[in-house]
Amino acid sequence: MTDDARASPSSAEPGGADEVADARAIEQDLHAASGPRTEQPVDRQLEAILMIADEPQSLVSLGAAVGAPVPVVRQAIERLVADFDGVDGTVRRGFELREVGGGWRFYVRRDLDDVVEQFVEAERPARLSQAALETLAVVAYKQPITRSQIAAIRAVNVDGVVRTLVARGLIEESFTDAETGAINYVTSDLLLQQLGINSLDELPLISPLLEDGVGGFGHNEGIPDGRV
């Protein structure tokens, strides 16, 4: 065997030129497969994801979904909001992109609520009873609060109503009192979504609705921002 033959291994031998080329081709294929699956603009990708999302999506989760950094996603969201709102001559849509509960989601515009309500009236799930609405209001303004405290405010047994609200996902257990063993309840993120607000600070003041400003809710103690 000549020195030249020893210096240039055959392509058929392990580590030969053909094997190296094949390995590189496989590596390129794998890299391509792990890359972006679409060449669509970020705006369109976000629009598609938000269209099927059943709960608000944070900028971080949206960025992970489209493979883009948060600043890019934030700018894209701002463009979508402006587009749907009819800024710069675009058509104002019947829906809007709104930040609620720490994330972004499509919502029907408030001035079209009546139209949508009429459309879905026949399929609307059972509404909350008056007792459930009153109990939910007590929890919202006095949380964290126990069943016995709710019952003291409403002057009725609230066990069944509390179970209903928990089952609906509108309130949830927060912690158990170490001394009494009583469960304390708070409102859930779902309630914020249903109300279309970001935090409890956006709840309306109830003092204008009460004759003496505090009737039915006791003192201001435990009420966020003294909202009575």
Side-chain angles (χ1 to χ4, degrees):
M1 181 179 295
T2 64
D3 291 340
D4 291 340
R6 287 193 298 268
S8 301
S10 170
S11 61
E13 296 177 356
D18 289 345
E19 185 174 342
V20 172
D22 291 342
R24 289 176 177 173
I26 293 174
E27 182 179 2
Q28 292 175 355
D29 291 342
L30 291 174
H31 178 73
S34 63
R37 297 182 179 181
T38 177
E39 296 300 328
Q40 294 293 328
V42 172
D43 297 32
R44 300 287 75 82
Q45 296 181 51
L46 294 175
E47 186 176 351
I49 291 173
L50 291 167
M51 186 65 68
I52 63 170
D54 57 1
E55 60 183 21
Q57 301 296 310
S58 68
L59 295 177
V60 174
S61 64
L62 290 172
V66 301
V70 170
V72 172
V73 173
R74 182 182 295 107
Q75 294 173 2
I77 289 293
E78 292 174 353
R79 289 193 297 269
L80 289 175
V81 170
D83 182 17
F84 301 147
D85 287 349
V87 178
D88 298 330
T90 57
V91 178
R92 187 172 184 268
R93 313 295 177 81
F95 57 88
E96 62 181 334
L97 187 54
R98 192 190 312 165
E99 186 178 15
V100 171
W104 292 87
R105 184 184 180 188
F106 284 126
Y107 286 87
V108 174
R109 292 194 183 277
R110 291 186 174 89
D111 54 356
L112 294 173
D113 282 347
D114 292 342
V115 176
V116 176
E117 182 177 355
Q118 293 174 13
F119 178 74
V120 302
E121 185 67 33
E123 301 181 2
R124 175 177 294 178
R127 299 180 181 180
L128 291 175
S129 65
Q130 184 65 30
L133 289 173
E134 292 174 2
T135 300
L136 184 58
V138 172
V139 176
Y141 284 93
K142 291 282 289 181
Q143 61 186 300
I145 188 171
T146 65
R147 291 190 187 190
S148 61
Q149 291 171 330
I150 299 173
I153 292 174
R154 295 200 57 236
V156 294
N157 186 294
V158 297
D159 289 354
V161 176
V162 168
R163 284 194 296 269
T164 297
L165 294 175
V166 171
R168 293 285 188 92
L170 298 175
I171 66 174
E172 57 192 19
E173 298 179 3
S174 177
F175 64 91
T176 300
D177 188 279
E179 295 183 0
T180 65
I183 298 174
N184 283 258
Y185 294 90
V186 296
T187 52
S188 66
D189 290 339
L190 177 61
L191 178 63
L192 298 181
Q193 297 174 29
Q194 296 293 337
L195 295 178
I197 59 178
N198 277 304
S199 72
L200 296 174
D201 292 335
E202 298 180 40
L203 286 173
L205 297 175
I206 64 173
S207 52
L209 306 178
L210 303 175
E211 293 182 0
D212 58 1
V214 295
F217 277 83
H219 301 291
N220 288 351
E221 181 182 357
I223 301 178
D225 298 330
R227 287 191 163 269
V228 294

